[in-house]
Amino acid sequence: LKIDLLVLSYVCLNYWINYVDRTNLSNAYVSGMKEDLNFKGDEFNTVNTCFVVGYIIGMIPHNIILLRASPRYWLAFCGFSWGLLTLGMYKVTSVKQLYIIRFFQAVFESSTFAGTHLILGSWYKETEINTRSATFTSSGLIGSIFSGFMQSAIHKNMDGLHGLEGWRWLFIIDFVITIPICIYGLLCFPNTPDNMKSSWLFSEEELQMAQMRLPPKKDTKLDLTVIKRVVGKWHWWLFSLLWVLGGENESFGSNSLFALWLKYKNYSISSRNQYPMGIYAVAIAATYSSALYVDHTGGKRHWHVAIMISIMMLVVSIMILVDPMKDAVMFTAQYLAGCSYAGQAIFFAWANVVCRSDIEERAVVLASMNMFSSAVNAWWSILFYGATTTPKFKKGCYAMLGTTISAAGVAVVIRYLQSREEKS
């Protein structure tokens, strides 16, 4: 309970505001930014690509730093840095300025996702980690919902206040929310059991209890042998491939296709911001349902979730291909597509369990999963999900058919190798 109250509360708040800061661009884009900054063609996707490139660069270095530095100070520093950059976005006057700010914003934000999964794996058992990972990833999805409603309210009540457009106020308010969370982390986040000392947060007895709850780890070091330990096992190769495919299975939501479709169909600004929030509500329900199922089965059925996601996204892709202009079809398909987000919690919890005995390998595997997924998404989103593909998204649907089938196949292979490894 104390771990949940101190550890989980901070990482969830941190990821929540991370996602609020991250998704505010698409909310701002459909709320007047496009016209004010004179976006053209696929420049919106290029801004997202700049973010992805920065995200890729920071991923592995952050996880290595978290193994040696105090996570409390490092995560708070990164949060404060991306908060300042978010504040700077309210002053932008051109798309090129967005390219630069979003790049550096992503460098700091890349500490959060893979870094938190690394931290969760240091605190929770295999029958607990799926629901905690679900709580963590759902906090980001809640951030997406919050951002949409916040932008809608800001546009309605603050557009033009003190001469600023509503979308500019969004970035100012994001910054105001970010800073208290950074301060909370500095005061209350206890690091991990292996690099903390007893204090008012955890007594010596509680610290020993936290360390004894988990299986013993190998005596490994952060040196050049990490390369052999990582590349020489199937863990790094297949989990990275799984999340490359799993990340692209989220493409309908991550590329804000529903908001673009609503804008094309001339829905109101409030509708463009609020209707896509249903995707994240479905995502939260699917994530928690999947996590409860895996934990209930003793942390052994992650691959079942991969199959479920693939089946659901196949159905969604076919629906959009058949009749993309019908409102009922698009609304239903986009909401069902929220199920794809369950992979964020389940696949990373799966990697945490498989790589439990070697913390350095685990750090690199978790970071690499997100890094390679982001690297592929940097060009995948432009190639298949560009803003110019609105409203039918035909190329994206065909790409989705390929990634969903492939992801299911990789998950089955991972489960087979995991079972063989456990028996040896």
Side-chain angles (χ1 to χ4, degrees):
L1 176 61
K2 199 165 186 178
I3 295 169
D4 285 343
L5 290 175
L6 293 175
V7 177
L8 199 59
S9 66
Y10 169 65
V11 297
C12 287
L13 282 171
N14 198 42
Y15 194 48
W16 171 75
I17 194 59
N18 179 289
Y19 239 80
V20 170
D21 289 347
R22 191 182 308 181
T23 58
N24 58 21
L25 180 68
S26 61
N27 295 125
Y29 179 79
V30 298
S31 302
M33 176 189 272
K34 177 183 178 181
E35 292 76 16
D36 292 339
L37 299 186
N38 194 28
F39 275 80
K40 297 178 181 177
D42 285 333
E43 285 183 338
F44 175 70
N45 298 90
T46 304
V47 173
N48 287 334
T49 298
C50 290
F51 184 92
V52 169
V53 172
Y55 206 68
I56 293 167
I57 291 173
M59 206 85 61
I60 290 181
H62 280 305
N63 264 20
I64 298 301
I65 291 172
L66 288 171
L67 291 177
R68 291 294 175 259
S70 169
R72 175 192 301 176
Y73 296 122
W74 188 250
L75 292 178
F77 166 74
C78 290
F80 182 74
S81 299
W82 86 58
L84 283 176
L85 289 163
T86 300
L87 178 64
M89 290 178 65
Y90 100 92
K91 292 288 288 183
V92 295
T93 57
S94 70
V95 177
K96 290 182 179 180
Q97 292 172 353
L98 281 179
Y99 294 160
I100 298 170
I101 292 176
R102 291 293 281 182
F103 170 82
F104 286 104
Q105 192 178 28
V107 170
F108 291 107
E109 288 195 20
S110 63
S111 64
T112 307
F113 187 78
T116 297
H117 279 293
L118 175 64
I119 290 168
L120 293 178
S122 298
W123 283 104
Y124 292 105
K125 297 185 289 187
E126 66 179 24
T127 55
E128 304 167 337
I129 194 170
N130 294 284
T131 48
R132 271 57 178 200
S133 295
T135 303
F136 165 64
T137 59
S138 293
S139 66
L141 298 169
I142 292 171
S144 298
I145 295 174
F146 181 83
S147 182
F149 284 112
M150 184 170 69
Q151 175 61 77
S152 179
I154 289 171
H155 183 82
K156 180 180 179 181
N157 300 307
M158 300 181 70
D159 190 32
L161 183 65
H162 298 302
L164 294 178
E165 295 89 347
W167 63 266
R168 295 186 188 272
W169 278 109
L170 176 65
F171 299 122
I172 296 173
I173 293 174
D174 283 346
F175 170 76
V176 171
I177 299 173
T178 301
I179 300 307
I181 294 175
C182 297
I183 296 173
Y184 173 69
L186 285 172
L187 295 175
C188 298
F189 182 62
N191 291 323
T192 62
D194 296 324
N195 69 352
M196 65 174 286
K197 298 179 180 180
S198 59
S199 66
W200 69 273
L201 294 173
F202 279 85
S203 67
E204 185 65 33
E205 182 182 7
E206 289 169 335
L207 182 56
Q208 291 177 3
M209 187 186 301
Q211 294 169 343
M212 293 174 61
R213 293 174 72 251
L214 300 181
K217 297 186 290 293
K218 295 179 181 178
D219 186 16
T220 57
K221 296 181 179 180
L222 181 60
D223 53 24
L224 291 178
T225 63
V226 172
I227 299 174
K228 182 178 180 180
R229 280 148 48 200
V230 170
V231 179
K233 295 180 180 179
W234 61 264
H235 306 163
W236 181 71
W237 298 92
L238 290 185
F239 276 116
S240 295
L241 178 58
L242 178 64
W243 190 240
V244 165
L245 298 167
E248 296 311 329
N249 286 347
E250 297 178 356
S251 291
F252 289 160
S254 62
N255 289 287
S256 305
L257 300 192
F258 196 25
L260 296 174
W261 185 87
L262 291 167
K263 183 176 178 64
Y264 177 87
K265 296 277 282 187
N266 292 318
Y267 278 79
S268 68
I269 288 179
S270 61
S271 296
R272 298 173 205 169
N273 282 290
Q274 292 177 9
Y275 286 156
M277 298 307 101
I279 297 173
Y280 304 115
V282 172
I284 293 169
T287 297
Y288 265 107
S289 299
S290 300
L292 289 169
Y293 169 73
V294 176
D295 277 350
H296 181 70
T297 58
K300 303 293 185 183
R301 297 291 182 267
H302 303 85
W303 68 285
H304 287 183
V305 177
I307 300 297
M308 179 276 293
I309 292 173
S310 292
I311 292 173
M312 187 63 68
M313 295 311 297
L314 281 172
V315 172
V316 168
S317 301
I318 292 171
M319 289 178 66
I320 297 176
L321 281 171
V322 170
D323 197 353
M325 301 306 294
K326 189 174 182 179
D327 287 22
V329 171
M330 185 59 76
F331 271 72
T332 303
Q334 290 289 344
Y335 289 152
L336 290 177
C339 293
S340 63
Y341 284 89
Q344 288 187 10
I346 303 305
F347 295 166
F348 280 83
W350 196 2
N352 252 320
V353 170
V354 171
C355 304
R356 174 83 76 184
S357 63
D358 188 334
I359 189 171
E360 288 83 15
E361 181 207 11
R362 184 159 58 88
V364 174
V365 169
L366 291 170
S368 296
M369 288 170 68
N370 218 20
M371 181 186 71
F372 285 119
S373 177
S374 299
V376 171
N377 193 57
W379 55 269
W380 192 272
S381 61
I382 294 177
L383 184 61
F384 294 108
Y385 299 98
T388 53
T389 64
T390 310
K392 295 184 177 181
F393 311 117
K394 183 173 290 187
K395 289 194 298 184
C397 289
Y398 285 122
M400 186 67 69
L401 294 175
T403 57
T404 53
I405 294 171
S406 301
V410 172
V412 171
V413 173
I414 289 176
R415 178 54 190 160
Y416 167 75
L417 294 174
Q418 181 189 11
S419 300
R420 193 174 69 173
E421 197 172 77
E422 291 171 346
K423 292 176 182 177
S424 62

